[in-house]
Amino acid sequence: MDMKLFKRKNFSLLMAGKFISLLGSNMLQFALSLYVLAVTGSAAIFASMLSILIIPRLLLSPIAGVFGDWFDRRRIIIILDLANAVIIGMYAILMIINGSISVALLYLFVVLLETTEIFFHSSMSAILPSIVSKDELIDANSTNSLIMNIGQLLAPVIASIIYAAFGLRIILIVSSISFLLSALSKIFLHFPATNKMPEKITIKNFKSDLMEGFRVIKDNKIISSIMGIGTIINFSVSPLFAIGVIYIIKEVLKSTDFQFGLFQSIFSLSMIVSPLLFSGYIKKNKIGKLCFNSFMVTALLIFLMAFVPAPFVLNLFDTNIVPFILLLVISFVIGMFATVVNIVLGTLFNQVVPLELMGRTSTVFNLLVTVFIPIGQMLFGYLYDIISPSYVILLNGIIIVLALIKYRSILIEIDNQDDNKTTEQEEVQSIQVEEEEQPELLYILPGDETNEI
């Protein structure tokens, strides 16, 4: 990770704005979950609020992608940050006046915030690769990953303290202010405009540009492979930690709330440590090789994790301390390598997709990948209820191995393309050097000296 990037005003302002808004957003999300459960006492209502978020994502992602490529991206992200500040501020005022927020208004609240997030992401996706060179993308994505993960770690801690002391209204005020500060930081951003608006905005032009985003994914083997790998991560690994590990900690190991909190904190820490430890390694190695090795290590660790809840392992110990520590260590290492994969795939995506198509391509990509998260959670959640957790975890590992077999040739092709580009660049540089040296050689020829005399 190159700290010199922070010497650039654009990069520093972008990271500061993203960190502030992420902190406010995650604090609000954490506090809302506590508030909904406290007011309704229903986990089903809380789950339904999370589930309905897929509706605006399905309906609006394609539209947001096209608009993100059409309009001034800097202006859009500033307007959307201000919109979030206003929406959250209005709910803060409502909370102060009435003392509470109805369930119906909470449903509307989360839908509004999800809608602004969809449009925000479509414009934000092209900004980082617009302000750094392709050679700096790995460092930039590593730094971005580090800062975002720090925000995700700090937000629940800060939110729990504020919520316990002052309730939801102060969280709403703090979150609203955070989006306002984020918008102010982005006013000073300056980067090349890569948006491309048609001369006339029509449904035909919209449809044409929307389909172009799908064609980019379909026709580019590398992008479609990234999507396939991302889908497998979300389908298999996401349920493992969202459901499986929590089930093992609470139901199999019968761990205390303190142990569960400790696990969550240390697992989050793995995503912060990873960019610090591996950024140099990532830069020195080829992207395809990094993906393959990271997936292979992850699969092996998941196979190892499958033994932790097995009865013959649990019976070896009088307490749950050793199995808990084993699960914690394995999960920590998996978290580090999963972060490496995210950084590498994000860098590859930024390198391959043209900036003028980044909005529609990234939103379509995220939509298709995100859809498989609830599918995986429902499937694996059902399996944890009917068979041993060890077998379910083994299935997670097998899925990753099968993915490695399927995409190994593509990962090799990515590295070969990089080698070919490097060779071509060296040849061009060699020709340029020869052309630059040629006049000097001609200058010292005897004939030239005679002509001068």
Side-chain angles (χ1 to χ4, degrees), residues 232-249 260 263-264 267 297-309 327 330-335 338 372-373 375-381 383-384 388-400:
I232 291 166
I233 291 174
N234 283 346
F235 177 77
S236 181
V237 180
S238 178
L240 174 62
F241 287 94
I243 299 172
V245 171
I246 296 173
Y247 179 83
I248 293 169
I249 291 174
F260 178 66
F263 178 90
Q264 295 282 54
F267 181 67
V297 172
T298 300
L300 293 174
L301 288 168
I302 289 175
F303 285 135
L304 183 62
M305 181 189 285
F307 289 97
V308 174
L327 186 66
I330 294 170
S331 299
F332 184 87
V333 180
I334 290 176
F372 282 87
I373 293 178
I375 296 174
Q377 289 176 343
M378 287 188 291
L379 173 62
F380 285 101
L383 291 177
Y384 279 110
S388 169
S390 294
Y391 295 133
V392 182
I393 296 173
L394 283 173
L395 179 59
N396 288 126
I398 291 170
I399 290 172
I400 294 178

Side-chain angles (χ1 to χ4, degrees), residues 7-199:
K7 294 181 180 179
R8 301 181 190 176
K9 186 182 74 170
N10 277 338
F11 187 81
S12 297
L13 286 171
L14 181 65
M15 291 298 107
K18 290 185 72 174
F19 178 77
I20 293 169
S21 61
L22 175 76
L23 200 62
S25 177
N26 282 12
M27 286 172 58
L28 180 59
Q29 183 180 2
F30 180 85
L32 277 176
S33 64
L34 296 177
Y35 181 78
V36 170
L37 291 173
V39 170
T40 66
S42 171
I45 292 177
F46 175 61
S48 67
M49 283 190 179
L50 296 178
S51 300
I52 64 169
L53 296 183
I54 196 67
I55 298 174
R57 188 166 291 275
L58 287 170
L59 295 176
L60 298 176
S61 287
I63 299 172
V66 175
F67 281 12
D69 287 337
W70 276 4
F71 299 104
D72 186 333
R73 293 186 171 106
R74 175 176 165 273
R75 186 175 298 176
I76 288 176
I77 61 175
I78 292 171
I79 291 172
L80 290 173
D81 269 345
L82 290 174
N84 276 331
V86 171
I87 292 169
I88 298 169
M90 289 173 63
Y91 270 81
I93 294 171
L94 185 66
M95 185 77 181
I96 292 170
I97 294 173
N98 295 335
S100 63
I101 301 174
S102 68
V103 173
L105 285 176
L106 286 173
Y107 275 107
L108 176 63
F109 190 35
V110 296
V111 169
L112 287 173
L113 294 180
E114 178 68 9
T115 300
T116 58
E117 169 63 22
I118 293 166
F119 281 87
F120 182 87
H121 175 79
S122 71
S123 297
M124 180 60 78
S125 60
I127 292 180
L128 186 61
S130 296
I131 63 176
V132 300
S133 66
K134 285 194 174 183
D135 293 337
E136 296 170 323
L137 275 172
I138 288 180
D139 281 324
N141 280 311
S142 297
T143 304
N144 180 69
S145 176
L146 173 64
I147 290 173
M148 296 304 102
N149 287 325
I150 290 174
Q152 289 173 350
L153 179 64
L154 291 178
V157 177
I158 298 173
S160 61
I161 295 171
I162 296 176
Y163 184 82
F166 306 105
L168 181 62
R169 61 172 62 88
I170 300 301
I171 294 286
L172 289 166
I173 293 170
V174 170
S175 182
S176 178
I177 293 171
S178 73
F179 278 103
L180 179 61
L181 293 175
S182 178
L184 291 174
S185 72
K186 288 161 187 163
I187 290 175
F188 301 99
L189 273 176
H190 297 286
F191 52 88
T194 55
N195 56 297
K196 187 178 179 181
M197 183 186 292
E199 294 181 2

Side-chain angles (χ1 to χ4, degrees), residues 236-280:
S236 181
V237 180
S238 178
L240 174 62
F241 287 94
I243 299 172
V245 171
I246 296 173
Y247 179 83
I248 293 169
I249 291 174
K250 298 300 292 182
E251 299 299 326
V252 178
L253 300 182
K254 305 295 182 183
S255 299
T256 63
D257 291 338
F258 171 77
Q259 287 176 318
F260 178 66
L262 179 65
F263 178 90
Q264 295 282 54
S265 299
I266 293 179
F267 181 67
S268 298
L269 187 63
S270 70
M271 301 175 193
I272 297 173
V273 171
S274 183
L276 295 173
L277 291 181
F278 293 115
S279 60

Side-chain angles (χ1 to χ4, degrees), residues 205-395:
N205 287 335
F206 172 82
K207 183 180 178 181
S208 175
D209 284 5
L210 174 61
M211 295 309 298
E212 190 173 5
F214 284 97
R215 281 195 299 271
V216 169
I217 294 175
K218 180 183 176 183
D219 297 341
N220 191 306
K221 192 184 295 184
I222 293 176
I223 298 176
S224 59
S225 298
I226 297 173
M227 188 181 72
I229 294 171
T231 299
I232 291 166
I233 291 174
N234 283 346
F235 177 77
S236 181
V237 180
S238 178
L240 174 62
F241 287 94
I243 299 172
V245 171
I246 296 173
Y247 179 83
I248 293 169
I249 291 174
K250 298 300 292 182
E251 299 299 326
V252 178
L253 300 182
K254 305 295 182 183
S255 299
T256 63
D257 291 338
F258 171 77
Q259 287 176 318
F260 178 66
L262 179 65
F263 178 90
Q264 295 282 54
S265 299
I266 293 179
F267 181 67
S268 298
L269 187 63
S270 70
M271 301 175 193
I272 297 173
V273 171
S274 183
L276 295 173
L277 291 181
F278 293 115
S279 60
Y281 176 77
I282 293 171
K283 289 176 67 176
K284 292 177 182 177
N285 287 272
K286 297 176 180 178
I287 287 178
K289 179 182 178 182
L290 274 170
C291 282
F292 184 85
N293 290 344
S294 297
F295 266 99
M296 180 59 74
V297 172
T298 300
L300 293 174
L301 288 168
I302 289 175
F303 285 135
L304 183 62
M305 181 189 285
F307 289 97
V308 174
F312 75 90
V313 173
L314 297 177
N315 292 335
L316 295 174
F317 308 101
D318 295 329
T319 67
N320 69 352
I321 298 299
V322 174
F324 175 78
I325 293 174
L326 285 173
L327 186 66
L328 181 60
V329 172
I330 294 170
S331 299
F332 184 87
V333 180
I334 290 176
M336 288 198 298
F337 280 95
T339 304
V340 170
V341 171
N342 285 333
I343 292 171
V344 171
L345 293 181
T347 301
L348 184 59
F349 189 85
N350 289 336
Q351 289 176 340
V352 172
V353 179
L355 290 177
E356 64 271 14
L357 300 175
M358 187 68 76
R360 73 201 81 165
T361 306
S362 64
T363 48
V364 170
F365 175 87
N366 286 323
L367 173 63
L368 296 176
V369 170
T370 305
V371 164
F372 282 87
I373 293 178
I375 296 174
Q377 289 176 343
M378 287 188 291
L379 173 62
F380 285 101
Y382 173 72
L383 291 177
Y384 279 110
D385 283 338
I386 62 173
I387 60 176
S388 169
S390 294
Y391 295 133
V392 182
I393 296 173
L394 283 173
L395 179 59

Side-chain angles (χ1 to χ4, degrees), residues 390-422:
S390 294
Y391 295 133
V392 182
I393 296 173
L394 283 173
L395 179 59
N396 288 126
I398 291 170
I399 290 172
I400 294 178
V401 171
L402 293 175
L404 279 174
I405 295 171
K406 176 177 175 58
Y407 291 108
R408 183 175 181 274
S409 60
I410 303 297
L411 297 175
I412 293 172
E413 184 178 328
I414 291 171
D415 290 341
N416 290 338
Q417 287 184 6
D418 287 340
D419 290 338
N420 292 336
K421 287 179 182 178
T422 302

